[in-house]
Amino acid sequence: MSKFQPFVMERMMSKWENQVDYNLSESGVHPATVRDLVPDPAQVDQLLSTEFVYSQANGIPELRERIAALYPGATPENVLVTVGCIEANFISLQTLLEPGDEIAVMAPNYLQVWGAAQNLGMVVRTFDLASEQGWALDVDSLARAVTDRTKLVAVCNPNNPTGHIMSSGEMDAVVAAADRVGAWLLADEVYSGAERLTDEETPSFWGRYDKLFANNSVSKAYGLPGLRVGWIVGPPAEVDKAWARHEYTTISVATLSNQLAAIALSPEVRPKLLQRTRDYIRRGYPIFEEWLRSHGDLLSIVPPGAAAIAFPRYALDVNSTTFVERLIKEKNALVAPGDHFNVDQHLRISFGLPADYLRGGLERIHQLLTDIAD
Ligand SMILES: Cc1ncc(COP(=O)(O)O)c(C=O)c1O
């Protein structure tokens, strides 16, 4: 068996995110509360009568219906409810691929698919979003990465860590590359709905290509990471095969989480949650931007189109992991180092946070930048 590839970003976050004074390492906004979801005492009363049964293993019907309604032409048969998008991505790989298969993964990226695929014995190639072109898709690198042996192409749109939203032309190029070799497309779309500059939700790949798993969750755009609810939307036969993997990993999502996620995706509550997320993003970014500008040439950025994260480059001769280790130890604050996306000299910084907390965390990063620059 080949060497285990740890998920280095999640390793660092699990250890420190609840210990530091300022956690600016999350990619979602400040989380919503149970009260935000169920303000009405009658609804609370109903929830209190919930029996802790094993809920329907592929997701309760009401939730699968609400998820299907977000994808034109989809029915509950197209939907599997999972424990977050992280389980959705993991079992997608197990379902669609065999050890030894080759996959092409977008980079930079949340490195779950990249690392898990290696641990499952797959051969991983990457294609780029190019920083010098405002993180636009490098179509030449896509053409090189997708070969006759490619069984799956994996994208994250909007992208973590850059916040890049693919244009329709870029989406077409990805579909064409997968189609050219008959590969599956795995689209991680967790930041759709968390746009900074527009109220138009980033379109899904759903409807553009048949061999597709469109994965998502309530963690980012809905501000509900602790519910641990995600999903796969795909062709019914393959979704059923993914369900068979889900029976090995988690059986079912928690009973209350199924119910609360159904409330979150209801036509009454969903728009409010999306607006709440965009409000955090739109209030936080100007604070972050002013802070960034105050550093002159030391920091530069391609402004993110979506997600509550910025990915600035710093002009200092220090490795990003070393920087963050010092940030934890000396300043009691946490961000994600560029190394965790295989892009050194960058930091991923959350800004979808209450203003005072955000300012406090940015001040700690400023102190360390100044200590190193002096
Ligand atoms: C792109 C991406 N996919 C999936 C996940 C996992 O999310 P979830 O909380 O839905 O499991 C994350 C978390 O940061 C992410 O950034």
Side-chain angles (χ1 to χ4, degrees):
M1 209 171 152
S2 58
K3 201 165 157 280
F4 177 71
Q5 174 72 49
F7 195 168
V8 284
M9 186 181 81
E10 295 293 347
R11 293 255 74 200
M12 185 185 255
M13 286 177 66
S14 326
K15 284 189 179 148
W16 295 107
E17 65 191 342
N18 295 317
Q19 311 300 326
V20 290
D21 288 347
Y22 292 100
N23 174 22
L24 272 57
S25 71
E26 286 298 336
S27 61
V29 297
H30 187 65
T33 63
V34 180
R35 204 183 306 280
D36 291 329
L37 273 188
V38 276
D40 175 358
Q43 263 180 315
V44 176
D45 203 51
Q46 222 180 334
L47 284 171
L48 290 177
S49 315
T50 306
E51 286 182 353
F52 285 114
V53 291
Y54 280 108
S55 54
Q56 173 62 28
N58 59 337
I60 58 172
E62 192 182 14
L63 177 56
R64 280 186 295 124
E65 269 160 30
R66 289 195 170 152
I67 293 167
L70 303 174
Y71 299 82
T75 72
E77 298 287 286
N78 294 101
V79 180
L80 172 69
V81 175
T82 56
V83 178
C85 188
I86 200 136
E87 190 201 358
N89 289 343
F90 191 78
I91 62 178
S92 296
L93 296 176
Q94 289 183 318
T95 304
L96 302 174
L97 300 168
E98 305 278 344
D101 280 352
E102 197 169 298
I103 75 168
V105 181
M106 175 183 273
N109 208 332
Y110 181 65
L111 290 183
Q112 184 207 353
V113 167
W114 178 86
Q118 292 175 58
N119 290 336
L120 291 167
M122 290 136 201
V123 178
V124 179
R125 299 165 73 98
T126 55
F127 57 93
D128 304 324
L129 298 179
S131 61
E132 61 284 2
Q133 287 149 40
W135 298 117
L137 176 70
D138 177 345
V139 281
D140 293 336
S141 78
L142 177 67
R144 283 193 300 274
V146 178
T147 74
D148 291 344
R149 292 182 301 282
T150 306
K151 294 287 187 321
L152 180 138
V153 177
V155 298
C156 175
N157 186 51
N159 177 256
N160 176 2
T162 65
H164 176 69
I165 301 175
M166 281 182 167
S167 66
S168 190
E170 288 174 316
M171 293 174 81
D172 288 346
V174 168
V175 167
D179 195 29
R180 172 167 58 81
V181 298
W184 279 88
L185 179 55
L186 173 56
D188 179 329
E189 301 177 334
V190 287
Y191 300 100
S192 171
E195 292 75 20
R196 184 170 66 88
L197 299 171
T198 169
D199 286 347
E200 200 179 311
E201 285 172 45
T202 303
S204 171
F205 274 90
W206 177 257
R208 289 182 178 250
Y209 188 55
D210 290 340
K211 292 179 78 174
L212 170 76
F213 269 17
N215 294 354
N216 209 322
S217 78
V218 295
S219 296
K220 312 296 177 184
Y222 302 90
L224 302 166
L227 270 193
R228 308 307 303 129
V229 172
W231 58 86
I232 294 172
V233 179
E238 279 74 22
V239 166
D240 187 59
K241 289 181 191 158
W243 181 2
R245 271 76 186 168
H246 171 74
E247 281 153 1
Y248 269 116
T249 48
T250 55
I251 305 178
S252 59
V253 166
T255 324
L256 279 175
S257 290
N258 261 287
Q259 295 196 23
L260 290 170
I263 293 171
L265 297 185
S266 67
E268 303 75 42
V269 178
R270 182 175 184 269
K272 290 186 192 146
L273 288 173
L274 293 182
Q275 192 56 49
R276 178 186 176 278
T277 296
R278 289 174 178 154
D279 288 348
Y280 265 111
I281 289 174
R282 290 168 194 182
R283 281 194 303 259
Y285 193 73
I287 296 172
F288 168 81
E289 197 175 32
E290 191 189 340
W291 173 88
L292 178 113
R293 291 236 172 90
S294 73
H295 292 86
D297 293 342
L298 186 59
L299 297 177
S300 55
I301 192 162
V302 178
I309 39 177
F311 197 52
R313 183 184 168 81
Y314 58 82
L316 284 174
D317 190 16
V318 58
N319 164 261
S320 57
T321 302
T322 308
F323 183 95
V324 175
E325 283 168 357
R326 283 189 61 179
L327 188 68
I328 296 167
K329 213 163 127 209
E330 297 170 28
K331 309 293 176 190
N332 216 332
L334 180 67
V335 300
D339 273 347
H340 290 181
F341 307 92
N342 291 338
V343 189
D344 198 10
Q345 309 299 124
H346 286 70
L347 301 170
R348 194 193 72 177
I349 304 176
S350 327
F351 57 80
L353 297 164
D356 285 351
Y357 187 89
L358 174 58
R359 287 203 175 92
L362 292 174
E363 171 57 24
R364 302 285 175 100
I365 306 168
H366 165 75
Q367 288 169 10
L368 184 60
L369 285 168
T370 313
D371 291 354
I372 295 174
D374 285 348

